């Protein structure tokens, strides 16, 4: 009688008491073997069992039965390992996919994103009399660049930036020149890597020299003149192209066919309204006009804004922004009366200062003047008003010469305009 037949009789309760006890002992022994194989830290490979002699557990168990049971246990363990391997493989695959597709975006979210969309919704009146809503958008760096270039780059206003994302906070960018007074367009390309900007032609967006506007009796807090000389007992400051006389002589030597950006220091501080009235009376043919704002600290010992100003005739055209936080940030829809209003332009200039202060990441990754104190400057302008101590204008040589004999002009020099 086979062992399988004995088990069948045992299940049916037809065995003798001695045989029944023997079968129960075998079952208990097999359960102990099973628990040992699962709990043991050393699971023997299949080859070692196949090549070895049959395992004999007791005199009551035949070798073929023991081998059959061990093979069953081994199959179960292999199936368990297969499931564990599948789970581990799935986890590893998920991690790899996250690294490939999710991690780059997550890392990028920790850094400045030039492609961030800014939206504005406006009411539009259609020709049939109905009113609808139109939503416009612009990217973050276009708006940031528009404010930055108007504040710090006279004659080189830029309000269009495109970017290609590479992941991990890295972008290829192109700062476009959307208009030109000379007919020549110069786009500036570069790489933005985790808030560090590298421009391939940094000279295209170069800041003016520190002493592009000389100090006068009213603007001694500028402290920006490099040298001074004593001419017949009179203290005379030296600007980027020497004394006032040298600067004028160089101006006459310029080519009358080319365009230049002239930096002109006023003899006296002027309110914006007085300045713009005087400037328009000169009736010159000019390109971008840029007004330099003078703000000194309470002690009068240093300036709070260095070479910082605004362009009254071009600003933030068709760009979206938070009009409640930064009123008059754009001059695109301003009327002529508003462009000549000191209060209106003061709000515009203060809004730009606040915007640049609030967008510190962009401000710090761009070249910027030293020692600018935004909050103190805003408070001083609100108290004293908008004071102009110099301006920059793009024009030909003969147009710039119209300022030479004007009593309101203290110093003038020009650079070739590109």
């Amino acid at each position: 009688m086979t062992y399988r037949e004995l088990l069948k009789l045992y299940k049916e309760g037809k065995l003798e008491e001695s045989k029944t006890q023997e079968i129960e002992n075998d079952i208990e022994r097999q359960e102990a073997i099973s628990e040992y194989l699962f709990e043991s830290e050393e699971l023997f490979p299949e080859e070692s069992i196949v090549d070895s002699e049959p395992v004999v557990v007791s005199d009551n168990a035949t070798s073929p039965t023991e081998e059959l049971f061990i093979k069953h246990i081994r199959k179960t363990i292999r199936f368990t390992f297969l499931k564990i391997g599948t789970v581990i493989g799935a986890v590893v695959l998920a991690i790899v996919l996250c690294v490939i597709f999710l991690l780059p975006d997550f890392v990028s979210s920790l850094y400045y994103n030039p492609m961030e969309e800014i939206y504005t919704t406006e009411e539009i009146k259609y020709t049939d009399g109905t009113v609808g809503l139109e939503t416009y958008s612009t990217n973050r760096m276009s708006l940031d660049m528009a404010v930055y270039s108007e504040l710090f780059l006279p004659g080189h206003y830029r309000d269009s930036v495109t970017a290609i994302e590479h992941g991990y906070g890295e972008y290829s960018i192109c700062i476009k020149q959307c208009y030109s007074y000379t007919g020549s367009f110069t786009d500036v390309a570069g790489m933005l890597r985790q808030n560090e900007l590298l421009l391939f032609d940094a000279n295209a967006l170069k800041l003016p020299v520190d002493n592009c506007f000389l100090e006068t009796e009213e603007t001694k807090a500028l402290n920006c003149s490099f040298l001074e000389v004593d001419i017949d007992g009179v203290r005379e400051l030296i600007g980027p192209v020497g004394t006032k006389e040298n600067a004028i002589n160089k101006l006459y030597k310029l080519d009358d066919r080319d365009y230049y950006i002239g930096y002109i220091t006023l003899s006296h501080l002027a309110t914006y309204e007085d300045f713009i009235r005087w400037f328009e009376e000169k009736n010159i043919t000019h390109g971008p006009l840029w007004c330099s704002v003078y703000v000194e600290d309470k002690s009068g010992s240093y300036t709070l804004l260095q070479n910082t100003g605004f362009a009254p005739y071009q600003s933030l055209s068709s760009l979206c922004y938070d009009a409640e936080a930064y009123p008059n940030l754009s001059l695109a829809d301003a009327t002529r009366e508003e462009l000549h209003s000191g209060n209106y332009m003061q709000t515009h200039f203060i809004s730009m200062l606040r915007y640049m202060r609030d967008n510190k990441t962009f401000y710090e990754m761009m070249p910027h003047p030293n020692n600018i104190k935004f909050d103190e400057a805003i408070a001083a302008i609100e108290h004293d008003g908008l004071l102009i101590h110099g301006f920059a204008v793009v024009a030909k040589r003969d147009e710039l010469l119209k300022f030479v004999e004007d009593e309101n002009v203290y110093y003038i020099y020009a650079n070739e305009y590109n």
Side-chain angles (χ1 to χ4, degrees), residues 45-264:
E46 181 176 355
E47 291 79 4
S48 64
I49 297 177
V50 171
D51 298 337
S52 63
E53 295 296 325
V55 178
V56 179
V57 179
S58 69
D59 296 335
N60 298 324
T62 62
S63 296
T65 302
E66 295 292 342
E67 288 183 3
L68 182 64
F69 181 77
I70 292 175
K71 288 181 179 180
H72 174 72
I73 296 301
R74 187 183 297 119
K75 182 178 179 182
T76 302
I77 293 174
R78 284 200 301 269
F79 180 71
T80 302
F81 282 167
L82 181 62
K83 290 196 295 184
I84 293 174
T86 302
V87 172
I88 293 176
V91 171
V92 171
L93 179 61
I95 292 174
V96 171
L97 293 176
C98 287
V99 169
I100 295 175
F101 297 105
L102 299 182
L103 186 60
D105 292 336
F106 172 74
V107 173
S108 292
S109 68
L110 303 177
Y111 298 97
Y112 177 83
N113 179 11
M115 302 170 61
E116 177 189 351
E117 292 293 320
I118 302 172
Y119 296 93
T120 296
T121 302
E122 297 179 356
E123 286 189 357
I124 302 295
K125 291 185 178 180
Y126 300 106
T127 55
D128 59 0
T130 60
V131 177
L133 295 178
E134 294 285 346
T135 300
Y136 306 94
S137 68
T138 188
N139 66 60
R140 166 62 62 186
M141 196 166 184
S142 291
L143 180 59
D144 292 348
M145 192 67 205
V147 177
Y148 168 85
S149 61
E150 184 176 352
L151 281 172
F152 305 118
L153 300 177
H156 295 282
Y157 178 75
R158 304 289 180 107
D159 62 359
S160 178
V161 180
T162 59
I164 300 175
E165 184 177 7
H166 302 295
Y168 299 100
E170 182 173 324
Y171 304 85
S172 298
I173 65 167
C174 180
I175 304 173
K176 296 183 177 181
Q177 182 178 358
C178 296
Y179 74 94
S180 172
Y181 195 70
T182 64
S184 176
F185 290 82
T186 303
D187 295 344
V188 183
M191 292 296 298
L192 176 61
R193 294 188 180 95
Q194 298 180 356
N195 296 354
E196 292 186 4
L197 180 63
L198 171 65
L199 298 178
F200 300 143
D201 183 9
N203 288 327
L205 300 178
K206 190 175 181 179
L207 296 174
V209 296
D210 290 343
N211 65 336
C212 63
F213 300 106
L214 295 192
E215 66 181 45
T216 64
E217 291 299 320
E218 295 181 75
T219 62
K220 290 183 178 180
L222 283 175
N223 295 323
C224 61
S225 299
F226 297 150
L227 297 172
E228 59 180 286
V229 295
D230 191 308
I231 300 178
D232 297 330
V234 178
R235 169 180 172 266
E236 184 169 348
L237 299 174
I238 297 179
V241 288
T243 64
K244 288 188 286 185
E245 183 179 356
N246 289 340
I248 293 174
N249 290 336
K250 289 181 180 294
L251 196 61
Y252 279 104
K253 295 178 181 179
L254 298 178
D255 192 317
D256 61 358
R257 295 167 297 180
D258 293 333
Y259 282 92
Y260 300 89
I261 179 167
Y263 296 91
I264 302 171

Side-chain angles (χ1 to χ4, degrees), residues 14 31 34 45 51 58 85 106 113 115-116 158 167 191 233-234 281 292 300 303 325 334 352 356 369 387-388 401:
K14 298 179 179 179
E31 289 178 351
S34 177
D51 298 337
S58 69
F106 172 74
N113 179 11
M115 302 170 61
E116 177 189 351
R158 304 289 180 107
M191 292 296 298
V234 178
E281 288 175 354
S292 181
T303 179
M352 288 201 299
M356 196 52 55
L387 299 177
I388 309 300
L401 288 173

Side-chain angles (χ1 to χ4, degrees), residues 244-412:
K244 288 188 286 185
E245 183 179 356
N246 289 340
I248 293 174
N249 290 336
K250 289 181 180 294
L251 196 61
Y252 279 104
K253 295 178 181 179
L254 298 178
D255 192 317
D256 61 358
R257 295 167 297 180
D258 293 333
Y259 282 92
Y260 300 89
I261 179 167
Y263 296 91
I264 302 171
T265 304
L266 297 177
S267 300
H268 304 282
L269 287 174
T271 65
Y272 171 74
E273 291 178 344
D274 289 342
F275 164 77
I276 203 67
R277 187 184 305 111
W278 167 81
F279 178 81
E280 291 194 344
E281 288 175 354
K282 301 301 290 186
N283 194 30
I284 70 168
T285 302
H286 66 90
L289 168 67
W290 184 84
C291 305
S292 181
V293 179
Y294 178 78
V295 188
E296 63 181 27
D297 78 315
K298 294 180 180 179
S299 67
S301 59
Y302 62 89
T303 179
L304 298 171
L305 296 177
Q306 182 183 19
N307 294 346
T308 306
F310 62 95
Y313 296 130
Q314 67 186 126
S315 171
L316 302 179
S317 56
S318 71
L319 294 182
C320 303
Y321 63 94
D322 187 346
E324 292 185 4
Y326 311 106
N328 298 352
L329 186 65
S330 171
L331 301 179
D333 299 322
T335 64
R336 179 176 174 81
E337 290 73 19
E338 289 171 334
L339 293 178
H340 286 72
S341 167
N343 290 333
Y344 191 91
M345 299 307 295
Q346 176 176 315
T347 302
H348 166 67
F349 185 63
I350 288 176
S351 288
M352 288 201 299
L353 293 178
R354 284 177 175 156
Y355 182 91
M356 196 52 55
R357 175 203 63 189
D358 296 342
N359 290 273
K360 187 176 180 180
T361 299
F362 175 83
Y363 174 72
E364 291 185 344
M365 74 184 186
M366 298 293 293
H368 56 270
N370 298 322
N371 303 322
I372 286 187
K373 304 180 184 302
F374 288 106
D375 291 326
E376 293 181 41
I378 291 169
I381 294 171
E382 290 175 337
H383 182 268
D384 300 328
L386 201 59
L387 299 177
I388 309 300
H389 74 100
F391 64 98
V393 65
V394 176
K396 290 186 175 181
R397 183 199 67 181
D398 292 343
E399 298 297 298
L400 294 176
L401 288 173
K402 294 180 180 180
F403 293 104
V404 170
E405 300 299 331
D406 195 302
E407 62 180 5
N408 294 305
V409 172
Y410 180 73
Y411 188 88
I412 177 172

